Amino acid sequence: ELWVLKSVNVGPVSGNGIQPTGMAYVPSINRFYVANIRSNNISVVDPMVNQVVACIPVGQAPDSVIYHEAGNRVFVGHRSIPLVTVIDPDTNEVVSQLWFDEAGRVSDLALDPVLGYLLVAHDDIDQISVVQLSDLSVVGRLGGISSLGRIAYSSFLNNLLYVDPNQGTITSGSNSLFIEGTTRGDTL
């Protein structure tokens, strides 16, 4: 079933957000989570009433948002700092913050639900941090990805895809990218 959401103001008029950038849908509660990069919060939108029903402060420059259904968590990447904020959608509370001390700012997020990884792109250092979803630990890094932009992961293809904004291309990574720092030699 496909339906069209009417425009919902998450900007200055409502006072809840300025410059929405990323969005994820949580089907279990029928809510959209919208990152507002300039007002440092997440607007929670109820599409049935076309209104912002909650506003969650998350810190500086939230940009990318992704929902992990099996873990029932909303992950928020911060554009100007090396941080991912974790939200429980049942309570709209921030339950964790993942700092990437040795990595750069977060440009995008992707999930591999089959292997249980959150992939965190750092475009300023051309690297992807690999986070184990079960315990939110960083298990490795994928490096040397020139001009890294937005990312996606296809479990079907077992491939990482990324945008090169400088070349205007989408590149498919190898399905055997080694996760540096692991002892098992895991691959994506």
Side-chain angles (χ1 to χ4, degrees):
E1 176 180 331
L2 178 66
W3 42 273
V4 177
L5 176 68
K6 293 182 181 178
S7 292
V8 176
N9 189 344
V10 294
V13 174
S14 67
N16 289 325
I18 299 173
Q19 193 178 349
T21 54
M23 178 173 61
Y25 178 65
V26 178
S28 61
I29 58 172
N30 193 29
R31 299 284 189 271
F32 288 95
Y33 284 70
V34 181
N36 301 303
I37 197 166
R38 290 192 183 172
S39 58
N40 303 324
N41 60 27
I42 300 293
S43 294
V44 182
V45 176
D46 180 343
M48 297 306 291
V49 295
N50 293 324
Q51 291 183 350
V52 174
V53 295
C55 187
I56 307 166
V58 293
Q60 184 179 348
D63 181 29
S64 50
V65 185
I66 198 164
Y67 175 63
H68 179 234
E69 189 167 13
N72 193 37
R73 293 292 183 254
V74 174
F75 293 92
V76 180
H78 294 259
R79 186 67 174 148
S80 59
I81 56 177
L83 172 66
V84 171
T85 297
V86 186
I87 297 171
D88 179 342
D90 291 334
T91 63
N92 286 334
E93 297 288 328
V94 172
V95 294
S96 187
Q97 290 185 320
L98 307 174
W99 286 94
F100 298 89
D101 295 330
E102 64 285 340
R105 67 182 181 219
V106 177
S107 59
D108 204 9
L109 304 171
L111 285 172
D112 176 355
V114 174
L115 295 177
Y117 292 128
L118 171 68
L119 306 173
V120 181
H122 309 283
D123 66 347
D124 54 340
I125 60 171
D126 295 331
Q127 246 185 28
I128 295 174
S129 294
V130 182
V131 176
Q132 184 69 48
L133 286 166
S134 60
D135 62 2
L136 301 179
S137 64
V138 177
V139 296
R141 303 222 186 309
L142 305 173
I145 303 171
S146 177
S147 301
L148 180 63
R150 298 293 186 172
I151 62 172
Y153 188 81
S154 168
S155 296
F156 177 74
L157 298 173
N158 194 24
N159 262 340
L160 172 70
L161 302 142
Y162 62 93
V163 174
D164 179 339
N166 296 331
Q167 298 297 317
T169 60
I170 297 174
T171 302
S172 175
S174 165
N175 62 355
S176 60
L177 290 170
F178 182 71
I179 301 173
E180 299 170 20
T182 64
T183 56
R184 298 176 299 167
D186 293 341
T187 59
L188 291 179

